[in-house]
Amino acid sequence: GDSVTQMEGPVTLSEEAFLTINCTYTATGYPSLFWYVQYPGEGLQLLLKATKADDKGSNKGFEATYRKETTSFHLEKGSVQVSDSAVYFCALFDMEYGNKLVFGAGTILRVKS
Amino acid sequence: DAGITQSPRHKVTETGTPVTLRCHQTENHRYMYWYRQDPGHGLRLIHYSYGVKDTDKGEVSDGYSVSRSKTEDFLLTLESATSSQTSVYFCAIRRQGSYYGYTFGSGTRLTVV
């Protein structure tokens, strides 16, 4: 079945550092890919999405490119802020797999000032 | 904002007791989902609904049942709570025709002692 694998955390960075969170996927069809963010005590919010190969999703300074050849969707940000501290989830939606979101395990990001 | 409310926000219950969690939406969306969130596992789908009285199992449905007698409410029941069901439970809705239009509730933290 479909699955998503994320790098384990927590990831601890200093403010203004460069961020990469790795995500790879396995899917039977041609999924859409997402990054969700969860701030402390809250539900998940959609951060960005990409619906086909080579698409780049971007939002709030975060970017991720849909790489079909490496089945990856790594999240990047050039300069993180303390307010970016949260849990980040990579996810896929595969129309051939029951129309459901499948999530990775999540990566905790801590940014120190 | 899709107007999605979960209740209760926190609950402590004893092993063997029945527990019902409620998800309420105000915008008449067809698709509703229950996920549980556990460290190292991300969000895993318990059950979902694609209409009134139309429900199906997710990947971790054992020990859980659901009901949807009206569009706006999706109930998750633990018939006899166990310590392994201690978790944070999230409800989500999806806009019909949009495979990325998920909105998540704020979660219910359930502790089974």
Side-chain angles (χ1 to χ4, degrees):
Chain A
D2 292 5
S3 65
V4 176
T5 302
Q6 287 180 236
M7 63 186 289
E8 290 189 21
V11 174
T12 302
L13 297 173
S14 297
E15 213 166 16
E16 299 184 5
F18 184 84
L19 168 71
T20 300
I21 300 178
N22 290 337
C23 171
T24 57
Y25 67 90
T26 302
T28 53
Y30 299 93
S32 295
L33 302 175
F34 308 88
W35 278 100
Y36 280 82
V37 59
Q38 183 183 31
Y39 298 104
E42 298 183 10
L44 278 70
Q45 303 172 27
L46 179 64
L47 180 60
L48 53 84
K49 67 182 187 298
T51 59
K52 61 183 186 297
D54 300 325
D55 267 2
K56 177 185 282 188
S58 62
N59 186 25
K60 299 181 181 179
F62 291 89
E63 293 183 339
T65 301
Y66 190 144
R67 302 287 188 198
K68 186 180 176 187
E69 64 276 14
T70 55
T71 62
S72 64
F73 193 55
H74 305 321
L75 182 68
E76 297 181 336
K77 187 176 185 183
S79 177
V80 294
Q81 306 300 313
V82 172
S83 58
D84 293 326
S85 298
V87 183
Y88 292 82
F89 294 92
C90 187
L92 66 82
F93 186 94
D94 188 350
M95 295 285 285
E96 298 183 32
Y97 189 60
N99 295 303
K100 297 183 285 289
L101 271 178
V102 176
F103 288 90
T107 302
I108 297 172
L109 172 65
R110 298 181 179 136
V111 181
K112 303 183 298 183
S113 59
Chain B
D1 186 353
I4 181 170
T5 306
Q6 291 185 234
S7 59
R9 292 296 310 274
H10 303 273
K11 186 169 182 68
V12 179
T13 192
E14 293 186 349
T15 298
T17 60
V19 177
T20 295
L21 309 182
R22 180 180 183 235
C23 179
H24 178 77
Q25 58 144 330
T26 59
E27 295 192 2
N28 229 28
H29 295 293
R30 179 180 174 191
Y31 294 93
M32 299 184 76
Y33 304 81
W34 276 108
Y35 286 88
R36 59 177 290 174
Q37 181 182 16
D38 304 289
H41 293 280
L43 274 75
R44 293 178 291 175
L45 183 65
I46 305 171
H47 281 280
Y48 66 101
S49 171
Y50 45 95
V52 174
K53 293 193 167 80
D54 291 324
T55 65
D56 206 349
K57 297 178 180 180
E59 61 180 308
V60 290
S61 59
D62 286 349
Y64 301 94
S65 63
V66 290
S67 65
R68 193 164 177 205
S69 59
K70 44 187 179 177
T71 300
E72 57 266 36
D73 288 326
F74 191 33
L75 304 181
L76 176 71
T77 297
L78 291 67
E79 301 291 347
S80 177
T82 67
S83 58
S84 65
Q85 294 175 312
T86 293
S87 186
V88 181
Y89 292 85
F90 286 99
C91 177
I93 60 94
R94 176 166 70 91
R95 295 166 186 76
Q96 188 169 355
S98 169
Y99 49 84
Y100 58 83
Y102 280 74
T103 300
F104 286 82
S106 299
T108 295
R109 183 173 295 274
L110 177 68
T111 303
V112 183
V113 298

